[in-house]
Amino acid sequence: AKAAGRGTFRHFEPGMDEQLQRRRHLEMDLRQALVRGELSLHYQPLVNLQSGRTSGYEALLRWTHPERGSVPPADFIALAEETGLIGDIGRFVLERACADAAAWPEDTKVAVNLSPAQFRNGGILATVMRALERTGLQPSRLELEITESLLMEKSESALATLRALRALGVGISMDDFGTGYSSLSYLRSFPFTKIKIDKSFIRDLHTSPDSQAIVSAIVSLGRSLKMTVIAEGIEDPADLALLLAEGCVEGQGYLFSVPLPLDQLAPHEGDAADA
Ligand code: C2E
Ligand code: CA
Ligand code: CA
Ligand code: CA
């Protein structure tokens, strides 16, 4: 839809205008959010299902809006992508996450979500390198989570960038696995180190034989391809039991912990840096 020019009134679609207005406000607010320090990261433990140990944390972006309160990423990531703000926001997330992780015990990883838009205008490789350099975080402790939508653009440059990132020693996870169209072919051509089974398959695991069959297939696929398999959205102990029985290596979900601000993480993980 085209935006009406300044001073132009369009009476035929009042609903649209209102929506556009709200969007513009949100966009202006989002521009300010970084400067005002309203964006922050929460961390959700990635748990080794066998040992119960926390092997790392996924960084999840939070926006505390002065009037609206907590705005979920689902409500502003798309806007950030469309407006190009994702560049600055993505840099903030990477630097913050790497800086926080650098203070954790040495074997603890941090997973960061990347959106396809961050690959489009290039620069993501340099952004990652700079974040690692500035924070001193070992590349092997950083995992980048990408979704199939990036790969669907079938750009050679996305593949080249992923290979370069992988060559740095950074891990590459395929997020939301199973929800896309042709995930299997992507597994072959892209340098993934981890597969994250989407929570839609985990939610009803213990009641759905179909989900069980799919999860079982993904776990053995991961094993053959030598990729770690992680299940997201584990809420129910019955689902955890099934994942353990299948030999799924890692998991995350409310059963273990909701995403938490840095200072609320388990003490031995949050307090390593006193500087
Ligand atoms: P995602 O990458 O699939 O992240 C998992 C989402 O599931 C998170 O929602 C998390 O809070 C939620 N979750 C975790 N455990 C459970 C559970 O047991 N049950 C249920 N029902 N949900 C669970 P959140 O934090 O609202 O983030 C939503 C999406 O926003 C993420 O989905 C990701 O695609 C995007 N996102 C978040 N942070 C960033 C970021 O820094 N950069 C980019 N580009 N995208 C981000
Ligand atoms: Ca993710
Ligand atoms: Ca997901
Ligand atoms: Ca996602």
Side-chain angles (χ1 to χ4, degrees):
K2 265 203 189 112
R6 228 172 251 281
T8 311
F9 293 89
R10 312 174 94 189
H11 293 290
F12 44 93
E13 268 178 312
M16 284 288 281
D17 276 2
E18 214 171 288
Q19 231 177 303
L20 209 61
Q21 280 279 0
R22 207 170 327 139
R23 213 189 106 100
R24 285 208 185 112
H25 274 138
L26 200 64
E27 182 183 334
M28 286 194 300
D29 288 351
L30 191 54
R31 277 183 202 286
Q32 293 300 312
L34 253 181
V35 187
R36 292 187 187 139
E38 294 164 8
L39 297 184
S40 66
L41 295 182
H42 279 197
Y43 291 99
Q44 187 179 37
L46 312 176
V47 178
N48 181 297
L49 297 181
Q50 288 272 323
S51 67
R53 277 198 68 246
T54 294
S55 52
Y57 295 90
E58 178 177 5
L60 293 158
L61 191 56
R62 296 292 179 259
W63 180 11
T64 310
H65 188 282
E67 289 123 39
R68 293 167 200 237
S70 176
V71 183
D75 289 0
F76 69 89
I77 294 282
L79 184 64
E81 288 170 345
E82 289 158 25
T83 54
L85 288 167
I86 193 71
D88 283 342
I89 292 174
R91 273 186 288 278
F92 162 78
V93 171
L94 267 165
E95 298 247 337
R96 185 75 263 146
C98 290
D100 289 343
W104 297 340
E106 292 218 331
D107 52 351
T108 308
K109 298 184 174 192
V110 67
V112 172
N113 293 285
L114 295 186
S115 83
Q118 290 175 268
F119 284 78
R120 232 168 271 139
N121 41 20
I124 185 67
L125 180 62
T127 301
V128 170
M129 286 173 77
R130 190 159 354 105
L132 291 170
E133 221 170 76
R134 290 233 275 243
T135 61
L137 186 75
Q138 259 183 357
S140 61
R141 293 176 58 196
L142 176 62
E143 280 177 350
L144 302 173
E145 299 198 355
I146 63 160
T147 57
E148 192 181 293
S149 51
L150 169 69
L151 315 178
M152 281 174 67
E153 298 176 1
K154 54 181 171 169
S155 71
E156 281 299 309
S157 83
L159 176 57
T161 305
L162 286 175
R163 286 201 175 129
L165 287 165
R166 184 69 201 105
L168 289 178
V170 168
I172 313 281
S173 303
M174 183 152 194
D175 208 352
D176 299 343
F177 188 80
T179 59
Y181 295 99
S182 45
S183 311
L184 291 179
S185 65
Y186 295 129
L187 282 185
R188 199 179 44 185
S189 14
F190 291 84
F192 291 105
T193 49
K194 194 182 261 196
I195 301 171
K196 186 174 276 194
I197 309 174
D198 190 68
K199 57 176 176 285
S200 56
F201 298 104
I202 308 302
R203 199 166 36 215
D204 62 353
L205 203 54
H206 65 284
T207 54
S208 159
D210 288 349
S211 288
Q212 269 169 54
I214 290 167
V215 165
S216 173
I218 298 175
V219 169
S220 49
L221 186 69
R223 198 176 290 130
S224 329
L225 295 174
K226 299 192 168 56
M227 295 174 191
T228 306
V229 175
I230 179 167
E232 71 171 12
I234 306 175
E235 296 183 7
D236 192 312
D239 296 329
L240 170 61
L242 282 165
L243 288 163
L244 267 168
E246 287 297 343
C248 184
V249 175
E250 281 186 1
Q252 73 183 110
Y254 298 159
L255 179 64
F256 304 108
S257 171
V258 297
L260 294 168
L262 182 70
D263 60 6
Q264 284 175 38
L265 299 182
H268 78 277
E269 282 129 6
D271 69 358
D274 278 338

